[in-house]
Amino acid sequence: MTSPAPSTMPSFEQLGLPDSLLSMLSEVGYEIPSPIQAACIPYLLAGRDLLGEAQTGTGKTAAFALPTLAKLDLSNMRPQVLVLTPTRELALQVSEAFTKYAHHLQNFHVLPIYGGQSMVVQLRQLSRGAQVIVGTPGRIMDHLERKSLKLDALTMLVLDEADEMLRMGFIDDVEWILEHTPSTRQTALFSATMPATIREVARRHLREPEEVRIRTATSTVEKIRQRYWLVRGVDKLDALTRILDAEEKLDAALVFVRTKIGTEELADKLAARGYAAAALNGDMTQSLRERVIEQLKNGSLDIVIATDVAARGIDVPRISHVINYDIPYDTEAYVHRIGRTGRAGREGVAILFVAPRERRMLKSIEHATRQQIEPIALPSREDVSSLRVSQFKQKVLDTLADPDMELGFFMSVVEELVEENDLSSRELAAALAYLVQAGRPLQIEEEGRGWDQATALHTQGKPLREDIFTTGAPRSRTGRRDANAIPAKVFDNGKVQRYWIAVGRDHGVMPKDIVGAIINESGIEGRSIGQIDLFDDFSTVELPAQLPDDLLNVLRGVVVRSQRLNIRPVRDDENLPVRRPQNRDDPRRDKKPSKPWEKKSGEKRFARSGDFRPPRRDDARQSERRSFADKGKVSGWKKRRGHE
Ligand code: AMP
């Protein structure tokens, strides 16, 4: 069968998932199941085998992870579920997804197992036990042969990206593994394409499988000009604002994201940058939603950030642009989204953000809409700044030329100001222009500082964290001893710990962004930040061990490349590999894993192990100053506080 149409999509409750998973889903902001989830979850819960044709981005991981979690026996530590993936990146991603979805499940353990990882560590982890194993075929075979992995309690086997496993030459290993698992198991096979070999594997190893396919009905979208931007280098929020600024004939824009939380976060960030933007999602009351749509119609809002569900049926002729900030789950959702523009005989523009991993969905969309989608280059910051300047000049000239604008009264106020304060009219005009544009600067931040203004929201009004780095009793910003601040001894043990953060290569992050955000938001100085390893959608960073909870809370909320860091210590059983940055310019590239207490040339400090002293307050100040100076320009944060 194919997936259900969005209009008939059931809720997660209707799919029969248990309460523990439903509450987690609402916390992570998933509004409704994606088509592949709606189609697969009931079959998997019912114990049926499944053949799913679905690619990355369709939500297939949750499609098998949620029913799998619903059926686990958490009191049993033997492997009950095995997921085979072609690459270790995917193994890590799938493990991460399981950990996220199992948030409310006590005693849940998932273990990623892949080649290149230390055998000794893996053997130790396997001996401790885990209900879910996610691994690459070669290494799983090794463990089965050594008998360090026993699958006699296995109830479920998932083959993820089976066509990739075929392409990479793993299909024989996969079959070998299938033959060494209990024949009573349930099996789900997911593949973006269904070549004959995969069908043959399914025929041999799946029992009367249900077939699920994401529909790719072709549709005509003639009045809509479709374009895409390949997400790279610049963060998505930065790219979005440049597009909003530079697009010609942009009247109103509907921006699509995947989660309810995503709508609010993005609307807040755009509003903080001076755009008339609001969220539209299923958590809002009907009357609130109607108000947002009314405001979009009458022009008091220009940008609405919506989920697919909330935007259903919107008919606002002034929507000139639909921006797919998060890629849709399938082509049908895409066609539905972009149909919100090009209404009432007008021309519409659709822009799609595509991460490198999501290119296949781009191809499917081109196929479904029978149109080639053109790539766009982002306008540079200079282009956007000069555009803003010329728009500003034009606004001033229009005001002067408009006979309806009664400027007489203001003329006299201006003359008074000039005379009373001995000002030049240039100075006065510049001050007024500044006031007018304060919420939306004409000059925008330089590269790599996309997080800057967003994170400023977190720091406004709060003291910087430098006071916790003093030796002895902590001081407040005024220099007084502050009994409430956290004593510095928490850093005295000199130990380093690896922390997980929710921003990775796919978000376009560079190590310098992470370092900059940590320094500026927490006051931790640069030298206390150790190795950074970048993965696709997360990274790890070494920091002093046992960071105090309130500092972690601050860091958790820090936004880098539009992602909240959600920092947490890496658990021992995660066994994440080390991944050096490839960027030649990165100062950490050739550095050994940094230990703050190790002596560096020209430095007297941290001479030997155990000599790690907490950075001093002055150090934090210095590094803060340095980091601003390094950028050659003060940040939006500073600008707003001090108008420097
Ligand atoms: P996948 O295709 O499994 O790689 O999932 C793609 C992305 O969609 C991931 O970032 C998921 O967190 C997200 N996602 C999966 N299901 C849903 C849903 N029902 N609602 C919102 N986001 C989802």
Side-chain angles (χ1 to χ4, degrees):
M1 68 158 272
T2 52
S3 58
S7 50
T8 56
M9 199 66 71
S11 64
F12 280 115
E13 285 86 344
Q14 288 167 322
L15 296 183
L17 291 169
D19 288 347
S20 53
L21 294 178
L22 294 177
S23 53
M24 171 282 301
L25 288 167
S26 106
E27 281 158 29
V28 296
Y30 289 8
E31 210 161 39
I32 52 158
S34 72
I36 191 90
Q37 291 161 3
C40 294
I41 291 174
Y43 290 138
L44 292 177
L45 283 175
R48 300 295 312 262
D49 278 6
L50 192 129
L51 187 59
E53 196 172 323
Q55 60 213 29
T56 303
T58 52
K60 70 176 159 54
T61 316
F64 63 77
L66 295 175
T68 303
L69 286 170
K71 290 169 42 159
L72 276 186
D73 174 3
L74 293 166
S75 62
N76 183 351
M77 286 294 280
R78 292 158 76 199
Q80 297 158 48
V81 177
L82 173 66
V83 183
L84 291 179
T85 65
T87 61
R88 62 180 184 172
E89 277 76 17
L90 189 59
L92 285 166
Q93 261 170 44
V94 171
S95 305
E96 267 301 319
F98 266 99
T99 307
K100 173 163 99 179
Y101 300 141
H103 187 66
H104 292 304
L105 306 184
Q106 298 289 321
N107 198 37
F108 170 76
H109 294 275
V110 55
L111 192 58
I113 293 281
Y114 44 81
Q117 201 186 18
S118 145
M119 220 8 153
V120 180
V121 174
Q122 277 179 5
L123 291 172
R124 197 171 57 230
Q125 290 173 331
L126 280 167
S127 69
R128 280 197 218 121
Q131 293 98 355
V132 177
I133 307 284
V134 185
T136 48
R139 191 50 75 94
I140 293 288
M141 255 178 91
D142 279 359
H143 283 290
L144 287 173
E145 279 171 338
R146 284 167 177 250
K147 307 233 180 303
S148 43
L149 175 63
K150 297 203 184 71
L151 296 179
D152 33 335
L154 196 82
T155 53
M156 171 89 183
L157 197 146
V158 179
L159 306 178
D160 197 6
E161 300 197 353
D163 51 351
E164 273 302 292
M165 295 203 265
L166 172 68
R167 203 181 56 78
M168 294 169 74
F170 295 151
I171 211 68
D172 292 343
D173 297 357
V174 169
E175 291 218 68
W176 186 93
I177 294 168
L178 279 160
E179 281 153 15
H180 287 77
T181 54
S183 59
T184 49
R185 56 150 217 271
Q186 183 184 4
T187 313
L189 185 158
F190 288 92
S191 197
T193 55
M194 282 293 166
T197 319
I198 297 296
R199 286 215 163 264
E200 184 52 23
V201 170
R203 195 191 60 76
R204 278 210 297 274
H205 299 279
L206 271 60
R207 273 168 311 177
E208 297 174 16
E210 291 290 349
E211 289 198 32
V212 171
R213 241 174 354 113
I214 295 299
R215 218 187 333 218
T216 53
T218 49
S219 316
T220 340
V221 285
E222 277 148 11
K223 283 201 309 299
I224 302 169
R225 182 166 173 224
Q226 300 180 72
R227 291 179 295 160
Y228 77 91
W229 173 61
L230 195 62
V231 179
R232 214 174 246 173
V234 175
D235 76 56
K236 278 164 78 171
L237 176 63
D238 192 0
L240 176 63
T241 56
R242 291 196 209 180
I243 288 171
L244 291 173
D245 282 339
E247 270 296 293
E248 278 173 26
K249 298 188 193 153
L250 190 148
D251 193 358
L254 188 58
V255 180
F256 282 94
V257 300
R258 285 205 161 170
T259 62
K260 293 181 271 191
I261 295 169
T263 61
E264 276 151 21
E265 284 179 353
L266 190 54
D268 287 350
K269 286 174 194 159
L270 289 175
R273 285 164 168 75
Y275 297 92
L280 187 74
N281 65 50
D283 270 0
M284 293 160 59
T285 60
Q286 182 62 19
S287 66
L288 205 55
R289 275 189 272 173
E290 279 166 12
R291 198 160 83 215
V292 168
I293 293 172
E294 189 44 47
Q295 287 177 325
L296 188 65
K297 274 189 184 147
N298 70 26
S300 42
L301 276 177
D302 293 328
I303 301 158
V304 165
I305 300 64
T307 54
D308 292 274
V309 184
R312 214 170 270 162
I314 287 187
D315 187 4
V316 178
R318 70 178 277 262
I319 297 177
S320 56
H321 284 64
V322 163
I323 300 179
N324 295 274
Y325 191 81
D326 289 340
I327 201 160
Y329 299 117
D330 58 9
T331 56
E332 208 171 329
Y334 175 81
V335 171
H336 198 265
R337 283 178 178 189
I338 70 171
R340 304 303 100 209
T341 181
R343 297 181 89 79
R346 304 184 191 195
E347 278 190 3
V349 174
I351 296 175
L352 176 66
F353 285 9
V354 186
R357 285 190 305 140
E358 296 161 344
R359 281 203 190 122
R360 198 190 281 269
M361 180 61 86
L362 174 69
K363 291 280 156 247
S364 302
I365 292 172
E366 286 184 326
H367 180 74
T369 58
R370 296 202 210 93
Q371 264 192 25
Q372 208 167 357
I373 306 186
E374 313 151 38
I376 46 169
L378 278 188
S380 71
R381 282 166 193 266
E382 291 71 33
D383 292 345
V384 173
S385 292
S386 67
L387 210 91
R388 285 187 185 179
V389 170
S390 60
Q391 283 167 353
F392 174 73
K393 287 179 184 166
Q394 194 54 49
K395 221 159 70 184
V396 174
L397 294 175
D398 290 349
T399 308
L400 287 172
D402 187 343
D404 291 342
M405 298 281 169
E406 293 181 7
L407 297 179
F409 169 72
F410 293 101
M411 294 268 197
S412 58
V413 174
V414 165
E415 272 159 22
E416 268 172 43
L417 256 172
V418 168
E419 277 164 25
E420 286 165 8
N421 300 285
D422 195 18
L423 296 172
S424 74
S425 45
R426 245 175 95 210
E427 282 170 321
L428 180 65
L432 292 174
Y434 181 88
L435 286 178
V436 171
Q437 293 296 135
R440 187 139 181 252
L442 296 177
Q443 281 176 297
I444 55 173
E445 300 292 322
E446 77 265 37
E447 200 71 50
R449 301 285 289 171
W451 48 272
D452 203 273
Q453 296 208 0
T455 50
L457 296 174
H458 294 277
T459 47
Q460 264 168 6
K462 290 186 200 161
L464 276 181
R465 299 287 322 187
E466 64 208 49
D467 45 15
I468 69 168
F469 297 107
T470 51
T471 46
R475 285 167 196 268
S476 70
R477 283 175 73 74
T478 55
R480 278 210 214 101
R481 304 270 173 205
D482 181 350
N484 294 324
I486 299 154
K489 63 177 163 29
V490 290
F491 292 110
D492 273 352
N493 62 13
K495 292 210 177 86
V496 183
Q497 187 170 1
R498 209 168 167 203
Y499 290 82
W500 181 98
I501 51 174
V503 58
R505 283 208 190 101
D506 282 355
H507 309 114
V509 80
M510 308 261 273
K512 67 175 183 192
D513 304 330
I514 297 171
V515 173
I518 292 175
I519 290 174
N520 285 323
E521 292 298 317
S522 68
I524 293 178
E525 63 161 9
R527 72 177 70 199
S528 297
I529 303 174
Q531 182 169 318
I532 293 176
D533 295 314
L534 301 183
F535 298 87
D536 283 351
D537 59 357
F538 68 93
S539 305
T540 61
V541 51
E542 285 180 345
L543 294 173
Q546 291 162 5
L547 287 176
D549 281 349
D550 67 340
L551 179 52
L552 275 178
N553 279 340
V554 171
L555 283 173
R556 223 167 265 143
V558 170
V559 177
V560 179
R561 300 266 163 199
S562 310
Q563 304 298 310
R564 280 166 68 90
L565 287 187
N566 280 334
I567 191 165
R568 61 162 175 79
V570 169
R571 293 185 312 274
D572 287 348
D573 64 4
E574 282 177 278
N575 198 24
L576 300 175
V578 165
R579 186 70 79 69
R580 289 288 167 74
Q582 295 300 306
N583 179 0
R584 290 178 149 277
D585 303 330
D586 195 293
R588 287 158 204 281
R589 191 165 170 261
D590 300 318
K591 219 171 101 178
K592 288 229 173 62
S594 149
K595 303 272 188 303
W597 56 81
E598 274 174 9
K599 189 173 176 186
K600 301 181 190 115
S601 63
E603 270 182 27
K604 291 198 193 87
R605 305 176 51 211
F606 307 139
R608 63 193 145 79
S609 177
D611 203 9
F612 175 36
R613 76 154 173 82
R616 287 178 193 282
R617 182 163 185 253
D618 287 351
D619 299 340
R621 279 242 184 90
Q622 281 292 337
S623 71
E624 187 195 348
R625 232 175 268 141
R626 226 180 302 126
S627 79
F628 283 126
D630 284 351
K631 308 291 182 246
K633 200 172 143 191
V634 283
S635 68
W637 178 78
K638 265 230 154 151
K639 254 188 274 170
R640 237 184 284 170
R641 295 172 109 214
H643 300 313
E644 284 171 65

